[in-house]
Amino acid sequence: AGKTSIINLLSRFYEYQKGQIRIGETDLKDLELKYLRQNIAIVLQDVFLFSDSIYNNIALGNASITKEQVIAAAKAVGAHEFIMRLPNNYDYQVGERGGVLSVGQRQLLAFIRAYVYNPHILILDEATSSVDNESESLIQKATEKLTVGRTSIVIAHRLSTIQKANKIVVLEKGEIVEMGDHFSLLAQNGYYKKLYEKQFLNNTNNND
């Protein structure tokens, strides 16, 4: 449906040729690129981690971010406990691409990374798509914490992730097919409701 393309355009990884993208009343192309990217944080489905410590993977070499700030951010998104269970805690070496951590743990590190940089705009791209139930619960809480007080664009197939959104945009084959909040979309008795009922039934069956 073009979700990844939208992310790339918002971050200006490539420029759009037609139409207009605005943040507030300002055209995206009128913003200085460095300023734009300093104010956008993206949490992707596939989190890239360096072969380095937990702390350095969160601070990304920014000397102005202290360990105290990282710990406070980890506590805020609910990841502090799992880090404290690791040998050497925040100095734990995660290995190449973070392979020694679970998918959910890598996602939580990406959430801390976003939180500590305090962006104006947050983009979450399928952040819960391939995690276990325990990690999903933690990430749901982290999402709620991280989205407070900022514009958040959440791309998700798991509708539980987006039920509290002010506006849900349903895309199909590059087109907007429905738009509204969770309850208004259910009332429309259309595409969103079918997706919701399908996922709800699947979750019920899995719990049984």
Side-chain angles (χ1 to χ4, degrees):
K3 301 182 298 296
T4 303
S5 297
I6 291 170
I7 290 175
N8 289 332
L9 290 170
L10 281 170
S11 307
R12 285 178 62 191
F13 293 138
Y14 49 78
E15 302 287 8
Y16 46 96
Q17 307 304 313
K18 294 180 181 178
Q20 192 177 43
I21 299 175
R22 290 181 296 173
I23 296 178
E25 297 301 315
T26 306
D27 191 295
L28 204 62
K29 290 180 179 177
D30 292 336
L31 292 170
E32 183 187 9
L33 192 58
K34 183 180 178 182
Y35 176 80
L36 174 70
R37 291 185 181 163
Q38 281 177 339
N39 286 284
I40 291 181
I42 305 173
V43 178
L44 299 171
Q45 180 180 351
D46 184 21
V47 179
F48 186 88
L49 295 177
F50 300 95
S51 183
D52 207 329
S53 68
I54 295 276
Y55 165 71
N56 285 335
N57 266 289
I58 294 166
L60 295 175
N62 187 337
S64 67
I65 295 175
T66 65
K67 187 168 282 190
E68 287 72 25
Q69 287 174 295
V70 168
I71 291 170
K75 287 179 177 177
V77 302
H80 179 69
E81 287 184 12
F82 106 74
I83 295 172
M84 292 306 291
R85 289 197 295 268
L86 297 171
N88 299 323
N89 314 133
Y90 287 84
D91 294 319
Y92 179 68
Q93 299 292 313
V94 300
E96 192 67 34
R97 293 185 65 85
V100 296
L101 300 176
S102 72
V103 173
Q105 288 170 335
R106 294 200 296 271
Q107 285 287 15
L108 285 168
L109 292 187
F111 272 80
I112 304 168
R113 192 187 274 172
Y115 191 92
V116 84
Y117 274 87
N118 195 26
H120 287 295
I121 297 173
L122 173 69
I123 301 173
L124 303 180
D125 184 10
E126 296 286 2
T128 64
S129 64
S130 55
V131 299
D132 55 77
N133 289 335
E134 183 183 355
S135 295
E136 184 185 4
S137 175
L138 285 171
I139 289 169
Q140 287 276 44
K141 291 173 184 173
T143 301
E144 289 179 18
K145 186 75 178 180
L146 201 55
T147 53
V148 170
R150 58 174 56 90
T151 298
S152 302
I153 300 166
V154 182
I155 295 168
H157 280 98
R158 290 191 186 184
L159 302 186
S160 57
T161 311
I162 57 168
Q163 282 182 31
K164 294 181 181 178
N166 301 96
K167 182 184 287 186
I168 299 169
V169 179
V170 185
L171 295 170
E172 169 72 4
K173 296 178 181 176
E175 301 286 336
I176 295 174
V177 292
E178 289 174 342
M179 193 156 48
D181 65 17
H182 173 68
F183 296 105
S184 67
L185 286 173
L186 288 179
Q188 287 181 35
N189 208 23
Y191 197 90
Y192 180 85
K193 187 177 181 182
K194 287 177 185 174
L195 281 174
Y196 178 75
E197 287 178 340
K198 185 178 178 181
Q199 289 191 17
F200 180 76
L201 286 172
N202 284 343
N203 288 339
T204 302
N205 292 335
N206 289 337
N207 290 334
D208 289 346

